[in-house]
PDB file of all heavy atoms in Angstrom:
ATOM      1  N   CYS A 170      93.773  91.615 118.042  1.00  0.00           N
ATOM      2  CA  CYS A 170      93.025  92.263 116.942  1.00  0.00           C
ATOM      3  C   CYS A 170      93.904  93.417 116.397  1.00  0.00           C
ATOM      4  O   CYS A 170      94.837  93.811 117.052  1.00  0.00           O
ATOM      5  CB  CYS A 170      91.713  92.788 117.425  1.00  0.00           C
ATOM      6  SG  CYS A 170      91.772  93.896 118.828  1.00  0.00           S
ATOM      7  N   LYS A 171      93.542  93.805 115.212  1.00  0.00           N
ATOM      8  CA  LYS A 171      94.368  94.901 114.617  1.00  0.00           C
ATOM      9  C   LYS A 171      93.491  95.646 113.595  1.00  0.00           C
ATOM     10  O   LYS A 171      92.449  95.216 113.157  1.00  0.00           O
ATOM     11  CB  LYS A 171      95.646  94.387 113.994  1.00  0.00           C
ATOM     12  CG  LYS A 171      95.487  93.587 112.702  1.00  0.00           C
ATOM     13  CD  LYS A 171      96.817  93.169 112.213  1.00  0.00           C
ATOM     14  CE  LYS A 171      96.647  92.442 110.828  1.00  0.00           C
ATOM     15  NZ  LYS A 171      97.869  92.071 110.246  1.00  0.00           N
ATOM     16  N   TRP A 172      93.987  96.782 113.249  1.00  0.00           N
ATOM     17  CA  TRP A 172      93.341  97.584 112.182  1.00  0.00           C
ATOM     18  C   TRP A 172      94.146  97.408 110.876  1.00  0.00           C
ATOM     19  O   TRP A 172      95.426  97.450 110.899  1.00  0.00           O
ATOM     20  CB  TRP A 172      93.359  99.085 112.534  1.00  0.00           C
ATOM     21  CG  TRP A 172      92.415  99.398 113.644  1.00  0.00           C
ATOM     22  CD1 TRP A 172      92.703  99.599 114.930  1.00  0.00           C
ATOM     23  CD2 TRP A 172      91.048  99.636 113.452  1.00  0.00           C
ATOM     24  NE1 TRP A 172      91.617  99.896 115.709  1.00  0.00           N
ATOM     25  CE2 TRP A 172      90.551  99.961 114.832  1.00  0.00           C
ATOM     26  CE3 TRP A 172      90.086  99.648 112.464  1.00  0.00           C
ATOM     27  CZ2 TRP A 172      89.234 100.157 115.112  1.00  0.00           C
ATOM     28  CZ3 TRP A 172      88.792  99.912 112.744  1.00  0.00           C
ATOM     29  CH2 TRP A 172      88.377 100.124 113.957  1.00  0.00           C
ATOM     30  N   VAL A 173      93.465  97.147 109.819  1.00  0.00           N
ATOM     31  CA  VAL A 173      94.096  97.095 108.471  1.00  0.00           C
ATOM     32  C   VAL A 173      93.708  98.262 107.650  1.00  0.00           C
ATOM     33  O   VAL A 173      92.504  98.573 107.548  1.00  0.00           O
ATOM     34  CB  VAL A 173      93.666  95.695 107.767  1.00  0.00           C
ATOM     35  CG1 VAL A 173      94.260  95.617 106.370  1.00  0.00           C
ATOM     36  CG2 VAL A 173      93.987  94.497 108.638  1.00  0.00           C
ATOM     37  N   PHE A 174      94.623  98.954 107.082  1.00  0.00           N
ATOM     38  CA  PHE A 174      94.400 100.196 106.362  1.00  0.00           C
ATOM     39  C   PHE A 174      94.556 100.010 104.831  1.00  0.00           C
ATOM     40  O   PHE A 174      95.618  99.385 104.512  1.00  0.00           O
ATOM     41  CB  PHE A 174      95.288 101.347 106.912  1.00  0.00           C
ATOM     42  CG  PHE A 174      95.124 101.633 108.408  1.00  0.00           C
ATOM     43  CD1 PHE A 174      95.929 101.178 109.339  1.00  0.00           C
ATOM     44  CD2 PHE A 174      93.999 102.354 108.766  1.00  0.00           C
ATOM     45  CE1 PHE A 174      95.809 101.352 110.680  1.00  0.00           C
ATOM     46  CE2 PHE A 174      93.787 102.606 110.132  1.00  0.00           C
ATOM     47  CZ  PHE A 174      94.736 102.129 111.076  1.00  0.00           C
ATOM     48  N   ARG A 175      93.775 100.636 104.112  1.00  0.00           N
ATOM     49  CA  ARG A 175      93.848 100.564 102.604  1.00  0.00           C
ATOM     50  C   ARG A 175      93.610 101.909 102.017  1.00  0.00           C
ATOM     51  O   ARG A 175      92.836 102.644 102.636  1.00  0.00           O
ATOM     52  CB  ARG A 175      92.878  99.593 102.116  1.00  0.00           C
ATOM     53  CG  ARG A 175      93.287  98.222 102.119  1.00  0.00           C
ATOM     54  CD  ARG A 175      92.533  97.442 101.035  1.00  0.00           C
ATOM     55  NE  ARG A 175      93.258  96.301 100.759  1.00  0.00           N
ATOM     56  CZ  ARG A 175      92.707  95.140 100.519  1.00  0.00           C
ATOM     57  NH1 ARG A 175      91.415  94.938 100.419  1.00  0.00           N
ATOM     58  NH2 ARG A 175      93.430  94.094 100.167  1.00  0.00           N
ATOM     59  N   ILE A 176      94.230 102.117 100.889  1.00  0.00           N
ATOM     60  CA  ILE A 176      93.912 103.309 100.165  1.00  0.00           C
ATOM     61  C   ILE A 176      93.144 102.919  98.924  1.00  0.00           C
ATOM     62  O   ILE A 176      93.657 102.055  98.114  1.00  0.00           O
ATOM     63  CB  ILE A 176      95.233 104.098  99.739  1.00  0.00           C
ATOM     64  CG1 ILE A 176      95.977 104.559 100.974  1.00  0.00           C
ATOM     65  CG2 ILE A 176      94.927 105.298  98.843  1.00  0.00           C
ATOM     66  CD1 ILE A 176      97.341 105.134 100.693  1.00  0.00           C
ATOM     67  N   LYS A 177      91.921 103.343  98.795  1.00  0.00           N
ATOM     68  CA  LYS A 177      91.126 102.998  97.576  1.00  0.00           C
ATOM     69  C   LYS A 177      91.347 104.061  96.561  1.00  0.00           C
ATOM     70  O   LYS A 177      91.389 105.260  96.831  1.00  0.00           O
ATOM     71  CB  LYS A 177      89.561 102.971  97.897  1.00  0.00           C
ATOM     72  CG  LYS A 177      89.276 101.801  98.961  1.00  0.00           C
ATOM     73  CD  LYS A 177      89.376 100.549  98.268  1.00  0.00           C
ATOM     74  CE  LYS A 177      88.786  99.440  99.054  1.00  0.00           C
ATOM     75  NZ  LYS A 177      88.735  98.223  98.385  1.00  0.00           N
ATOM     76  N   HIS A 178      91.561 103.549  95.331  1.00  0.00           N
ATOM     77  CA  HIS A 178      91.873 104.481  94.155  1.00  0.00           C
ATOM     78  C   HIS A 178      90.730 104.500  93.111  1.00  0.00           C
ATOM     79  O   HIS A 178      90.058 103.529  92.988  1.00  0.00           O
ATOM     80  CB  HIS A 178      93.226 104.081  93.495  1.00  0.00           C
ATOM     81  CG  HIS A 178      94.331 104.209  94.286  1.00  0.00           C
ATOM     82  ND1 HIS A 178      94.873 103.288  95.179  1.00  0.00           N
ATOM     83  CD2 HIS A 178      95.209 105.312  94.540  1.00  0.00           C
ATOM     84  CE1 HIS A 178      95.937 103.676  95.837  1.00  0.00           C
ATOM     85  NE2 HIS A 178      96.243 104.916  95.362  1.00  0.00           N
ATOM     86  N   HIS A 179      90.653 105.619  92.447  1.00  0.00           N
ATOM     87  CA  HIS A 179      89.759 105.743  91.299  1.00  0.00           C
ATOM     88  C   HIS A 179      90.453 105.013  90.147  1.00  0.00           C
ATOM     89  O   HIS A 179      91.705 104.835  90.189  1.00  0.00           O
ATOM     90  CB  HIS A 179      89.544 107.226  90.897  1.00  0.00           C
ATOM     91  CG  HIS A 179      88.674 107.947  91.926  1.00  0.00           C
ATOM     92  ND1 HIS A 179      87.373 107.756  91.999  1.00  0.00           N
ATOM     93  CD2 HIS A 179      89.049 108.918  92.845  1.00  0.00           C
ATOM     94  CE1 HIS A 179      86.832 108.583  92.951  1.00  0.00           C
ATOM     95  NE2 HIS A 179      87.869 109.282  93.489  1.00  0.00           N
ATOM     96  N   PRO A 180      89.784 104.750  89.035  1.00  0.00           N
ATOM     97  CA  PRO A 180      90.418 104.127  87.831  1.00  0.00           C
ATOM     98  C   PRO A 180      91.603 104.939  87.292  1.00  0.00           C
ATOM     99  O   PRO A 180      92.520 104.366  86.732  1.00  0.00           O
ATOM    100  CB  PRO A 180      89.334 104.035  86.810  1.00  0.00           C
ATOM    101  CG  PRO A 180      87.994 103.978  87.630  1.00  0.00           C
ATOM    102  CD  PRO A 180      88.333 104.763  88.888  1.00  0.00           C
ATOM    103  N   ASP A 181      91.582 106.233  87.526  1.00  0.00           N
ATOM    104  CA  ASP A 181      92.712 107.021  87.056  1.00  0.00           C
ATOM    105  C   ASP A 181      93.828 107.141  88.013  1.00  0.00           C
ATOM    106  O   ASP A 181      94.664 107.989  87.871  1.00  0.00           O
ATOM    107  CB  ASP A 181      92.182 108.422  86.631  1.00  0.00           C
ATOM    108  CG  ASP A 181      91.692 109.243  87.795  1.00  0.00           C
ATOM    109  OD1 ASP A 181      91.674 108.745  88.955  1.00  0.00           O
ATOM    110  OD2 ASP A 181      91.350 110.469  87.568  1.00  0.00           O
ATOM    111  N   SER A 182      93.859 106.319  89.028  1.00  0.00           N
ATOM    112  CA  SER A 182      94.902 106.254  90.128  1.00  0.00           C
ATOM    113  C   SER A 182      94.856 107.386  91.134  1.00  0.00           C
ATOM    114  O   SER A 182      95.729 107.427  91.993  1.00  0.00           O
ATOM    115  CB  SER A 182      96.326 106.196  89.421  1.00  0.00           C
ATOM    116  OG  SER A 182      96.349 105.020  88.741  1.00  0.00           O
ATOM    117  N   THR A 183      93.929 108.246  91.028  1.00  0.00           N
ATOM    118  CA  THR A 183      93.796 109.313  92.130  1.00  0.00           C
ATOM    119  C   THR A 183      93.116 108.652  93.408  1.00  0.00           C
ATOM    120  O   THR A 183      92.377 107.614  93.217  1.00  0.00           O
ATOM    121  CB  THR A 183      92.941 110.446  91.629  1.00  0.00           C
ATOM    122  OG1 THR A 183      91.643 110.009  91.357  1.00  0.00           O
ATOM    123  CG2 THR A 183      93.605 111.192  90.500  1.00  0.00           C
ATOM    124  N   ILE A 184      93.431 109.184  94.505  1.00  0.00           N
ATOM    125  CA  ILE A 184      92.865 108.600  95.687  1.00  0.00           C
ATOM    126  C   ILE A 184      91.374 108.886  95.870  1.00  0.00           C
ATOM    127  O   ILE A 184      90.950 109.998  95.766  1.00  0.00           O
ATOM    128  CB  ILE A 184      93.657 109.160  97.035  1.00  0.00           C
ATOM    129  CG1 ILE A 184      95.109 108.670  96.899  1.00  0.00           C
ATOM    130  CG2 ILE A 184      92.957 108.677  98.313  1.00  0.00           C
ATOM    131  CD1 ILE A 184      95.969 109.233  97.967  1.00  0.00           C
ATOM    132  N   ASP A 185      90.661 107.797  96.077  1.00  0.00           N
ATOM    133  CA  ASP A 185      89.178 107.825  96.338  1.00  0.00           C
ATOM    134  C   ASP A 185      88.877 108.115  97.834  1.00  0.00           C
ATOM    135  O   ASP A 185      88.232 109.043  98.134  1.00  0.00           O
ATOM    136  CB  ASP A 185      88.493 106.592  95.804  1.00  0.00           C
ATOM    137  CG  ASP A 185      87.026 106.520  96.102  1.00  0.00           C
ATOM    138  OD1 ASP A 185      86.447 107.583  96.203  1.00  0.00           O
ATOM    139  OD2 ASP A 185      86.504 105.419  96.118  1.00  0.00           O
ATOM    140  N   ARG A 186      89.398 107.142  98.642  1.00  0.00           N
ATOM    141  CA  ARG A 186      89.238 107.302 100.021  1.00  0.00           C
ATOM    142  C   ARG A 186      90.235 106.397 100.802  1.00  0.00           C
ATOM    143  O   ARG A 186      90.936 105.553 100.197  1.00  0.00           O
ATOM    144  CB  ARG A 186      87.852 106.889 100.404  1.00  0.00           C
ATOM    145  CG  ARG A 186      87.492 105.494 100.150  1.00  0.00           C
ATOM    146  CD  ARG A 186      85.992 105.229 100.244  1.00  0.00           C
ATOM    147  NE  ARG A 186      85.593 104.036  99.553  1.00  0.00           N
ATOM    148  CZ  ARG A 186      85.292 102.891 100.134  1.00  0.00           C
ATOM    149  NH1 ARG A 186      85.332 102.757 101.436  1.00  0.00           N
ATOM    150  NH2 ARG A 186      84.946 101.880  99.379  1.00  0.00           N
ATOM    151  N   PHE A 187      90.306 106.676 102.073  1.00  0.00           N
ATOM    152  CA  PHE A 187      91.121 105.835 102.934  1.00  0.00           C
ATOM    153  C   PHE A 187      90.146 104.924 103.706  1.00  0.00           C
ATOM    154  O   PHE A 187      89.113 105.400 104.203  1.00  0.00           O
ATOM    155  CB  PHE A 187      91.915 106.733 103.973  1.00  0.00           C
ATOM    156  CG  PHE A 187      92.887 107.604 103.259  1.00  0.00           C
ATOM    157  CD1 PHE A 187      92.554 108.936 103.055  1.00  0.00           C
ATOM    158  CD2 PHE A 187      94.190 107.150 102.906  1.00  0.00           C
ATOM    159  CE1 PHE A 187      93.460 109.790 102.352  1.00  0.00           C
ATOM    160  CE2 PHE A 187      95.061 108.040 102.269  1.00  0.00           C
ATOM    161  CZ  PHE A 187      94.704 109.283 102.003  1.00  0.00           C
ATOM    162  N   LYS A 188      90.518 103.650 103.811  1.00  0.00           N
ATOM    163  CA  LYS A 188      89.570 102.671 104.402  1.00  0.00           C
ATOM    164  C   LYS A 188      90.296 101.951 105.543  1.00  0.00           C
ATOM    165  O   LYS A 188      91.446 101.518 105.363  1.00  0.00           O
ATOM    166  CB  LYS A 188      89.117 101.693 103.361  1.00  0.00           C
ATOM    167  CG  LYS A 188      88.090 100.723 103.809  1.00  0.00           C
ATOM    168  CD  LYS A 188      87.619  99.821 102.690  1.00  0.00           C
ATOM    169  CE  LYS A 188      86.510  98.898 103.201  1.00  0.00           C
ATOM    170  NZ  LYS A 188      86.008  98.060 102.179  1.00  0.00           N
ATOM    171  N   ALA A 189      89.603 101.759 106.656  1.00  0.00           N
ATOM    172  CA  ALA A 189      90.094 101.018 107.784  1.00  0.00           C
ATOM    173  C   ALA A 189      89.212  99.802 107.976  1.00  0.00           C
ATOM    174  O   ALA A 189      87.985  99.934 107.992  1.00  0.00           O
ATOM    175  CB  ALA A 189      90.130 101.881 109.020  1.00  0.00           C
ATOM    176  N   CYS A 190      89.801  98.708 108.265  1.00  0.00           N
ATOM    177  CA  CYS A 190      89.041  97.539 108.512  1.00  0.00           C
ATOM    178  C   CYS A 190      89.528  96.890 109.842  1.00  0.00           C
ATOM    179  O   CYS A 190      90.805  96.761 110.036  1.00  0.00           O
ATOM    180  CB  CYS A 190      89.218  96.553 107.369  1.00  0.00           C
ATOM    181  SG  CYS A 190      88.240  95.022 107.554  1.00  0.00           S
ATOM    182  N   PHE A 191      88.660  96.519 110.714  1.00  0.00           N
ATOM    183  CA  PHE A 191      89.003  95.937 111.913  1.00  0.00           C
ATOM    184  C   PHE A 191      88.924  94.422 111.885  1.00  0.00           C
ATOM    185  O   PHE A 191      87.913  93.878 111.449  1.00  0.00           O
ATOM    186  CB  PHE A 191      88.038  96.444 113.030  1.00  0.00           C
ATOM    187  CG  PHE A 191      88.304  95.802 114.369  1.00  0.00           C
ATOM    188  CD1 PHE A 191      89.359  96.160 115.100  1.00  0.00           C
ATOM    189  CD2 PHE A 191      87.446  94.898 114.877  1.00  0.00           C
ATOM    190  CE1 PHE A 191      89.606  95.599 116.357  1.00  0.00           C
ATOM    191  CE2 PHE A 191      87.633  94.314 116.200  1.00  0.00           C
ATOM    192  CZ  PHE A 191      88.680  94.691 116.869  1.00  0.00           C
ATOM    193  N   VAL A 192      90.000  93.654 112.226  1.00  0.00           N
ATOM    194  CA  VAL A 192      90.031  92.185 112.123  1.00  0.00           C
ATOM    195  C   VAL A 192      90.550  91.561 113.353  1.00  0.00           C
ATOM    196  O   VAL A 192      91.405  92.155 114.069  1.00  0.00           O
ATOM    197  CB  VAL A 192      90.876  91.786 110.896  1.00  0.00           C
ATOM    198  CG1 VAL A 192      90.341  92.253 109.586  1.00  0.00           C
ATOM    199  CG2 VAL A 192      92.336  92.241 111.055  1.00  0.00           C
ATOM    200  N   ALA A 193      90.092  90.402 113.600  1.00  0.00           N
ATOM    201  CA  ALA A 193      90.571  89.558 114.749  1.00  0.00           C
ATOM    202  C   ALA A 193      91.775  88.780 114.224  1.00  0.00           C
ATOM    203  O   ALA A 193      91.765  88.333 113.074  1.00  0.00           O
ATOM    204  CB  ALA A 193      89.483  88.666 115.294  1.00  0.00           C
ATOM    205  N   LYS A 194      92.799  88.604 115.118  1.00  0.00           N
ATOM    206  CA  LYS A 194      93.916  87.722 114.675  1.00  0.00           C
ATOM    207  C   LYS A 194      93.688  86.315 115.043  1.00  0.00           C
ATOM    208  O   LYS A 194      94.162  85.768 116.127  1.00  0.00           O
ATOM    209  CB  LYS A 194      95.147  88.223 115.411  1.00  0.00           C
ATOM    210  CG  LYS A 194      95.568  89.662 115.076  1.00  0.00           C
ATOM    211  CD  LYS A 194      96.832  89.984 115.880  1.00  0.00           C
ATOM    212  CE  LYS A 194      97.290  91.415 115.638  1.00  0.00           C
ATOM    213  NZ  LYS A 194      98.476  91.647 116.459  1.00  0.00           N
TER     214      LYS A 194
END
């Protein structure tokens, strides 16, 4: 398993939030 990280952005390209998702391999 692993953690997948993403940066979510607002329409103006500023950072909205950091998101972590846990997935099975």
Side-chain angles (χ1 to χ4, degrees):
C170 56
K171 69 178 185 174
W172 289 98
V173 177
F174 301 102
R175 277 206 159 140
I176 300 173
K177 295 291 192 170
H178 293 90
H179 290 288
D181 66 356
S182 298
T183 59
I184 294 176
D185 176 24
R186 62 189 160 107
F187 297 97
K188 185 174 182 180
C190 182
F191 178 70
V192 297
K194 295 179 182 179

